[in-house]
Amino acid sequence: MKIVVLDGYTLNPGDLSWEDVKKWGEVEIYDRTPAEQIVERIKDADAVLTNKGVLDKEVLASCKNLKFIGTLATGYNNIDVQAAKELGIVVSNVPAYGTNAVAQFTFALLLEICNQVAVHNQSVKEGEWTNNIDWCYWKTPLMELAGKTMGIIGFGRIGQKVAQIATAFDMKVLAYDEYQNLSLETENIHYASLDTLLQQSDIISLHCPLFESNVGMINKETIQKMKDGAILLNAARGPLVNEADLSEALESGKVYFAGLDVVSTEQIQMDNPLMKAKHSFITPHIAWAPTETRARMMEIVSKNLQGFIEGKPVNVVNL
């Protein structure tokens, strides 16, 4: 079996091993593949592994040997799964590998907003504490999380883990999800309508998948329903947020701060309105990237290949 990895660098920039994948066939690994080179590189492949490579109907139709596509991610919007199904190509993704990492990163963003550790570290290193007439000082408002309400939009595995951490900080949680599992409700965790969540939450954190129906769900109208001075966190998908509207809300103070690990176009463009917006932290889509998390993904990718080869495919998204 010929296996081609189209864009392996982000998963494995050199600190992991491809050996578990290589035991399933002849493997060609490319760090990156420009769109115009995809067909040439996979035209005779039996299996393709990719994160962001666009495999649309035209590309798939050009690859007569292709039988399996494995995503190096949970999301698979870069693959025409219906066309793959029609062509008899199995598509498997990697679910649930990054639950702990993304929840942890969500709170890394939130705690940075609340405590501004980097700002104060820099201040100390520049001598401000040494030369200060007082024994301590703070350069920004500091915030305590206990007693605050966190609204979690999307209450799957990651949203539930975020809620668990929030309650450990003595926060209350409002959760919005189209599919409610009432057994998850506790004294401090309750489902709510989207409007109620927007109106009552001090912090709003996005953890829902991206669909056509929720593109731009955080916009001028929904922001207006939020508490004045609310905090917005997004470690899900960038297009969930109308970035121009959020930028305006940050400038006006309607939204106090935004912590974002994703944006609508990645890599971020310099004309993105959030690049100049005050009170925003933007990181380069790294919530998923701890070494342990990527190693877990590599293990699942190999098991996906194994399942397909043995005639028992797993994590299939185009049944």
Side-chain angles (χ1 to χ4, degrees):
M1 170 174 277
K2 181 175 180 179
I3 303 164
V4 176
V5 182
L6 283 176
D7 46 358
Y9 185 82
T10 50
L11 170 59
N12 180 18
D15 56 348
L16 300 178
S17 171
W18 291 103
E19 288 308 308
D20 278 353
V21 172
K22 289 179 178 179
K23 68 186 180 184
W24 301 114
E26 171 197 349
V27 181
E28 291 182 3
I29 300 170
Y30 298 96
D31 284 347
R32 305 164 188 86
T33 298
E36 64 273 13
Q37 294 182 25
I38 288 177
V39 171
E40 179 62 28
R41 289 182 175 181
I42 69 172
K43 63 183 180 182
D44 58 350
D46 300 291
V48 172
L49 303 180
T50 185
N51 187 320
K52 301 299 183 190
V54 176
L55 304 181
D56 57 22
K57 186 173 185 177
E58 183 179 356
V59 169
L60 297 177
S62 301
C63 303
K64 304 302 183 182
N65 293 341
L66 192 58
K67 306 175 189 70
F68 177 80
I69 300 169
T71 68
L72 304 178
T74 301
Y76 49 89
N77 57 299
N78 56 313
I79 300 165
D80 188 332
V81 292
Q82 182 59 37
K85 182 177 181 179
E86 292 169 1
L87 292 166
I89 301 169
V90 173
V91 182
S92 291
N93 75 335
V94 185
Y97 74 95
T99 299
N100 289 324
V102 176
Q104 173 182 311
F105 197 86
T106 298
F107 272 86
L109 290 170
L110 180 56
L111 291 171
E112 181 61 28
I113 290 167
C114 293
N115 296 96
Q116 299 281 315
V117 172
V119 167
H120 290 91
N121 170 67
Q122 186 64 28
S123 167
V124 170
K125 297 291 180 61
E126 291 174 352
E128 191 166 351
W129 195 12
T130 302
N131 298 311
N132 202 286
I133 61 173
D134 296 311
W135 65 274
C136 78
Y137 63 93
W138 49 95
K139 299 181 68 63
T140 64
L142 305 178
M143 181 185 300
E144 187 176 275
L145 290 176
K148 299 289 192 300
T149 296
M150 173 173 265
I152 300 175
I153 299 177
F155 209 55
R157 293 183 182 92
I158 297 174
Q160 292 167 33
K161 179 61 70 171
V162 170
Q164 179 185 344
I165 299 171
T167 57
F169 277 98
D170 289 330
M171 301 175 73
K172 297 186 181 302
V173 172
L174 294 177
Y176 171 75
D177 199 288
E178 291 186 8
Y179 305 99
Q180 297 186 2
N181 179 357
L182 296 179
S183 68
L184 297 173
E185 290 195 317
T186 68
E187 181 181 353
N188 293 314
I189 301 174
H190 298 280
Y191 283 103
S193 68
L194 182 58
D195 279 357
T196 297
L197 183 152
L198 293 169
Q199 292 161 8
Q200 296 185 10
S201 298
D202 302 291
I203 299 109
I204 296 171
S205 193
L206 306 181
H207 297 288
C208 50
L210 179 67
F211 301 112
E212 288 185 13
S213 59
N214 62 11
V215 170
M217 68 179 300
I218 300 301
N219 54 46
K220 191 168 295 187
E221 180 180 349
T222 52
I223 289 170
Q224 194 55 42
K225 295 177 181 179
M226 295 179 189
K227 283 185 175 182
D228 291 344
I231 292 171
L232 178 69
L233 307 173
N234 187 9
R237 290 292 182 264
L240 294 168
V241 176
N242 182 308
E243 292 164 341
D245 290 352
L246 175 58
S247 180
E248 288 181 12
L250 288 165
E251 292 298 326
S252 71
K254 174 66 180 179
V255 173
Y256 170 59
F257 228 109
L260 311 168
D261 187 47
V262 289
V263 292
S264 59
T265 299
E266 297 176 355
Q267 301 84 336
I268 195 169
Q269 302 302 297
M270 292 305 296
D271 61 356
N272 187 309
L274 292 169
M275 290 290 275
K276 295 183 179 179
K278 66 180 183 180
H279 289 182
S280 65
F281 289 130
I282 305 173
T283 51
H285 203 145
I286 55 173
W288 70 285
T291 305
E292 300 88 343
T293 313
R294 290 183 290 107
R296 189 177 304 117
M297 179 191 283
M298 186 75 82
E299 179 181 359
I300 298 170
V301 166
S302 178
K303 288 181 177 178
N304 285 349
L305 267 170
Q306 178 182 2
F308 172 75
I309 291 168
E310 294 179 350
K312 300 176 182 178
V314 294
N315 298 320
V316 178
V317 298
N318 67 332
L319 289 172

